[in-house]
Amino acid sequence: LINNAGVVKLGGIEYIYHKDIKEMLDVNLMHVALMSKLFLQKLKNRNPRSALINVGSMAGFTEGMMNMAVYNGSKAYVRYFTEALAIEV
């Protein structure tokens, strides 16, 4: 499985719409976690050579970028979620 989805909405946290924050978090966090869960439940036991690849962004490795706080945070989540998941499974 290759999780390679992402949504970015530019704007300072004071001005970005609630629906845009929700969309970014739904796609960039929830979908990564839920697809990883489904993959591990369904495919890992069938084929031990299965692989899970979560594609993030350089935004998850930076200290931050102007008007991208939510996006940066969501991509940092992908990075740390993947590292923790590798230890867990």
Side-chain angles (χ1 to χ4, degrees):
L1 171 69
I2 299 175
N3 275 326
N4 185 29
V7 172
V8 62
K9 303 287 183 169
L10 300 177
I13 194 69
E14 297 176 57
Y15 306 105
I16 194 167
Y17 293 111
H18 178 270
K19 68 178 184 64
D20 291 337
I21 293 172
K22 184 175 181 338
E23 181 183 9
M24 277 192 282
L25 297 180
D26 280 349
V27 172
N28 299 350
L29 276 72
M30 292 300 296
H31 289 168
V32 169
L34 294 174
M35 289 303 296
S36 297
K37 175 183 170 58
L38 288 171
F39 171 80
L40 291 171
Q41 287 175 332
K42 300 288 183 187
L43 299 176
K44 183 181 171 196
N45 294 330
R46 292 185 192 164
N47 183 354
R49 295 182 52 178
S50 299
L52 171 63
I53 300 169
N54 290 325
V55 178
S57 167
M58 288 306 297
F61 292 86
T62 64
E63 293 178 5
M65 298 159 68
M66 181 64 105
N67 295 323
M68 295 182 67
V70 176
Y71 181 76
N72 282 111
S74 70
K75 290 305 180 174
Y77 166 84
V78 172
R79 174 186 175 191
Y80 291 112
F81 171 78
T82 302
E83 290 175 4
L85 190 61
I87 294 167
E88 189 175 310
V89 298

